[in-house]
Amino acid sequence: MKEIDVKKVAELARINVNQEQEAELKLALTQILKHFEGLKNVNTDEVEPLFHFQDQMPLREDLAEEALKQEELLKNAPNHVDGCFRIPKVIGDH
Amino acid sequence: MNTPEDFLSNGDFLKIREALDKKQISSTELTKLSLIKAKAQNDKTNALIHFCDQQALDTAAQADKRIASGETGALLGIPIAVKDLILVKDAPTTAASKMLENFTAPYDATVVSRLRSASAPIIAKANLDEFAMGSSNETSFFGCVKNPWDLSRVPGGSSGGSAAAVAARSFTLSLGTDTGGSIRQPSSLCGITGLKPTYGRVSRYGVVAFASSLDQVGPMCTDALSCAAIMDVISGRDLHDATCNHENKADSFALTKAYSEKQSLKGLKIGLAKQFLSSKVQTDVHRNVEAAIAYYKSVGAEVIEIDLPHVEHSLACYYLICTSEASSNLARYDGVRYGYRSPKEDSSLLDLYKNSRAEGFGDEVKRRILLGTFALSSGYYDDYFQKAARIRRLISKDFESAFKKVDVIASPTSPFTAFKLGEKTKDPLSMYAADIFTLATNLAGLPAVSFNVGFDQSNLPIGLQLQGARWNDNLLLGLAALYQKNNPGKNKAATL
């Protein structure tokens, strides 16, 4: 079984984990993945993956619709100014 | 039986409908009583997160006017609660997460706007597992829900609040959502009736997304006729959800009622999957489920053993798919546009994301996001996510073959009755196993109903699950209604 690199996965998921959490998560996730190992033994040659139940997405007419007002949407924003979301400086970020 | 309390406690849909239509009771009386009862019971069960008093009473007054002018409607004036994963305009929608603790819905979910058109007063937002991730309602940021049959036990999850409040008859109707059993398992553990509709029957617009190819909204009520009445209102095509493109014939109630009056089930074939028969099931559960199947046999149904060879892989397949979809869906919670934002002075945008998500999500949600991120990550996608999706196809085909031989597939809803609070929180895998009979339904997009068929030695409810072929929801409700009509005493209220 491939080992799970919790630190890397947490970085990808944009979630901070401290060392203690990292160890706990590694244990829990390894146990879960181990339990799922049985899937490997199922023959899926020539089986198409099933991602959803529709062969075709229905299309609607391309009509203009009333949308929510900016001020309505900004009511739930944790920090905003002049109609914009406020975030830390990004220039120079990697 | 003539007071609003009598009707509420009894929970019989037909009697409530008749009493409202004959103006024996008013919607305002019923709604007020529901609010009072729900608040008093909430001190014990913690089933509800938010009450919508004013909205509900306004709708009730409107319903009374409509009834007075001679209008009729299946849900007209009957109070309902919705799981707090479903957006109700101007009310909080928290998904039971710190992440959305202060979120107020700016619009209605499609199912909610349809309830409004039907003048069904929405009285409360029901507690759930955080982001609907759990089988015991213990992961809620607002505290666990307690089972009204025994307050030291879980109500099941994730729609545990809806189930507990209906079981205690705070109200008789509610909406839940079901991604892997979240309507059916709590319905079973609380002794009520819940339908997970065919995928695509009910719109997901305005429902906080967990795993989009599995999520479905459905009714959780005192009886099957209530569920059918709700389906007539909430089902059907919605331009806001491209996966919901099925015509609503609004015939669920009429067909369910007609089915409940059948004298014979001659010609109906019930399948028992040998994989389910060999599973570890609590003795009382096994006995009561067998007795319910024997009832159907006694009125003419034929019972046939069937084979679902890939269903044993449901648990692994389900968790890889649902966590993958969740990791993608929950990427939107970034501390910027809405939801929780870490108060830490962040030096960078990346730190803002990472801190907000670390502080805003609970442990089980983080565990699932990480598992899903792993399953989708470069180098692992083929072995995990894609492999699971291929096995999902095999599971779906197993059901397709089975439904060429039988009309419905019967099993317990849950392998055990309500377990003790805290009993499984330390072991995610044993918690996941609570949904062993329900997960495959979602993977194959099928409808399934759960309803009470008995009680164990500790007087805890036991549910029977009937799964059907795609779009065969009404047959399941009909079979549940038939059982309920002819087996009185199973649809009892929990006394607090």
Side-chain angles (χ1 to χ4, degrees):
Chain A
M1 196 184 104
K2 291 167 189 168
E3 196 166 294
I4 180 164
D5 180 348
V6 170
K7 210 173 173 128
K8 188 182 160 206
V9 174
E11 187 70 28
L12 288 172
R14 303 284 187 257
I15 296 176
N16 260 350
V17 290
N18 60 32
Q19 270 187 333
E20 191 190 335
Q21 291 167 324
E22 191 186 323
E24 268 176 27
L25 281 162
K26 181 154 186 149
L27 193 71
L29 295 176
T30 305
Q31 223 173 33
I32 293 169
L33 287 170
K34 200 170 151 198
H35 194 78
F36 294 176
E37 281 294 284
L39 292 188
K40 293 221 164 80
N41 306 325
V42 183
N43 183 356
T44 53
D45 297 348
E46 289 165 48
V47 179
E48 280 298 307
L50 175 62
F51 296 121
H52 52 78
F53 300 102
Q54 274 173 316
D55 300 326
Q56 261 189 324
M57 280 290 174
L59 296 176
R60 63 169 171 80
E61 284 203 54
D62 190 14
L63 297 170
E65 270 183 36
E66 192 82 11
L68 285 169
K69 301 255 181 304
Q70 189 192 40
E71 58 265 32
E72 280 290 311
L73 288 168
L74 284 174
K75 275 185 194 163
N76 281 304
N79 196 344
H80 63 95
V81 60
D82 298 336
C84 299
F85 301 115
R86 194 204 292 265
I87 54 164
K89 197 173 73 153
V90 286
I91 297 166
D93 240 17
H94 296 290
Chain B
M1 190 156 101
N2 46 29
T3 69
E5 171 57 33
D6 293 340
F7 289 105
L8 202 54
S9 300
N10 175 277
D12 184 310
F13 180 80
L14 289 177
K15 291 192 173 121
I16 294 172
R17 186 68 271 153
E18 191 188 6
L20 282 166
D21 290 339
K22 289 190 170 164
K23 302 174 193 68
Q24 207 175 335
I25 56 171
S26 73
S27 173
T28 302
E29 282 174 313
L30 197 60
T31 304
K32 277 186 179 161
L33 176 69
S34 253
L35 281 163
I36 291 168
K37 213 173 159 184
K39 285 175 188 176
Q41 291 180 336
N42 213 37
D43 292 340
K44 292 181 180 164
T45 61
N46 196 32
L48 306 164
I49 292 177
H50 177 78
F51 294 94
C52 310
D53 300 55
Q54 200 50 54
Q55 283 197 22
L57 291 169
D58 289 349
T59 309
Q62 181 195 56
D64 283 330
K65 267 190 205 156
R66 289 176 67 176
I67 293 169
S69 72
E71 275 190 67
T72 54
L75 300 184
L76 187 55
I78 308 182
I80 185 167
V82 301
K83 186 178 186 176
D84 201 20
L85 197 69
I86 301 171
L87 271 60
V88 174
K89 190 176 175 352
D90 298 331
T93 296
T94 68
S97 179
K98 182 179 178 182
M99 187 56 90
L100 290 174
E101 187 184 3
N102 298 312
F103 182 84
T104 301
Y107 64 95
D108 277 333
T110 296
V111 289
V112 168
S113 61
R114 289 180 181 174
L115 290 178
R116 286 196 204 279
S117 303
S119 293
I122 297 167
I123 70 164
K125 304 293 298 288
N127 206 344
L128 63 149
D129 278 297
E130 185 181 2
F131 281 102
M133 297 180 188
S135 310
S136 66
N137 219 128
E138 290 169 292
T139 71
S140 168
F141 175 65
F142 300 98
C144 55
V145 175
K146 291 167 188 161
N147 191 319
W149 290 95
D150 176 347
L151 295 171
S152 70
R153 291 175 188 273
V154 305
S158 66
S159 313
S162 304
V166 169
R169 304 289 189 265
S170 291
F171 34 80
T172 61
L173 311 179
S174 72
L175 290 186
T177 65
D178 192 313
T179 303
S182 283
I183 285 177
R184 291 159 285 156
Q185 187 254 12
S187 292
S188 175
L189 268 49
C190 289
I192 66 162
T193 308
L195 175 76
K196 184 260 160 198
T198 301
Y199 184 87
R201 193 178 273 276
V202 182
S203 166
R204 293 173 296 109
Y205 178 69
V207 181
V208 176
F210 163 14
S212 305
S213 79
L214 303 161
D215 296 342
Q216 196 65 188
V217 177
M220 299 172 73
C221 307
T222 45
D223 57 17
L225 284 170
S226 303
C227 291
I230 290 181
M231 288 305 290
D232 281 343
V233 169
I234 66 170
S235 312
R237 191 166 292 139
D238 180 16
L239 292 177
H240 292 297
D241 176 0
T243 64
C244 180
N245 192 34
H246 194 79
E247 188 195 350
N248 177 13
K249 294 195 183 123
D251 56 3
S252 286
F253 181 75
L255 290 174
T256 303
K257 189 161 179 296
Y259 209 95
S260 75
E261 284 152 9
K262 266 182 176 261
Q263 300 298 318
S264 162
L265 289 182
K266 211 164 167 23
L268 183 95
K269 294 192 176 81
I270 298 177
L272 292 182
K274 60 182 181 192
Q275 287 76 10
F276 289 162
L277 291 172
S278 60
S279 300
K280 269 192 205 157
V281 171
Q282 195 181 312
T283 318
D284 284 343
V285 172
H286 188 79
R287 201 173 45 234
N288 281 278
V289 164
E290 273 199 332
I293 294 167
Y295 159 73
Y296 288 120
K297 264 172 105 168
S298 76
V299 287
E302 188 184 345
V303 175
I304 295 169
E305 190 173 301
I306 53 159
D307 191 12
L308 300 169
H310 298 95
V311 84
E312 63 172 300
H313 301 294
S314 298
L315 187 92
C317 177
Y318 171 82
Y319 275 94
L320 288 168
I321 289 169
C322 86
T323 57
S324 298
E325 292 190 20
S327 77
S328 167
N329 272 327
L330 272 63
R332 73 191 69 185
Y333 303 102
D334 58 3
V336 174
R337 291 162 301 165
Y338 54 88
Y340 176 84
R341 178 169 184 154
S342 169
K344 283 185 190 152
E345 281 297 322
D346 297 303
S347 54
S348 72
L349 185 58
L350 196 59
D351 284 335
L352 169 66
Y353 295 155
K354 286 160 71 177
N355 287 328
S356 299
R357 290 164 65 78
E359 294 162 28
F361 291 136
D363 288 343
E364 178 62 19
V365 174
K366 282 190 235 181
R367 195 151 49 217
R368 293 201 194 191
I369 291 175
L370 292 190
L371 184 59
T373 306
F374 174 73
L376 289 174
S377 63
S378 172
Y380 300 99
Y381 178 88
D382 289 347
D383 285 351
Y384 288 102
F385 181 64
Q386 180 131 261
K387 182 78 183 180
R390 290 183 201 279
I391 294 169
R392 182 181 188 180
R393 170 87 58 195
L394 294 174
I395 292 171
S396 185
K397 282 191 184 260
D398 283 356
F399 279 106
E400 267 173 44
S401 313
F403 285 122
K404 284 180 185 147
K405 296 181 197 128
V406 297
D407 300 293
V408 297
I409 298 172
S411 71
T413 308
S414 163
F416 33 72
T417 54
F419 46 93
K420 291 271 186 190
L421 288 156
E423 191 181 315
K424 296 183 193 293
T425 42
K426 290 275 172 276
D427 181 4
L429 277 170
S430 78
M431 186 73 87
Y432 297 171
D435 295 326
I436 197 77
F437 294 123
T438 54
L439 301 170
T441 314
N442 301 68
L443 289 169
L446 307 173
V449 69
S450 174
F451 55 99
N452 194 57
V453 293
F455 296 86
D456 74 2
Q457 286 177 343
S458 313
N459 198 34
L460 297 169
I462 293 164
L464 173 73
Q465 172 177 254
L466 296 176
Q467 302 177 88
R470 276 172 73 74
W471 312 115
N472 241 349
D473 312 39
N474 290 334
L475 171 64
L476 305 179
L477 288 174
L479 283 164
L482 177 76
Y483 180 89
Q484 288 171 344
K485 194 177 162 78
N486 294 296
N487 294 272
K490 307 289 188 196
N491 256 7
K492 288 192 292 194
T495 41
L496 274 169

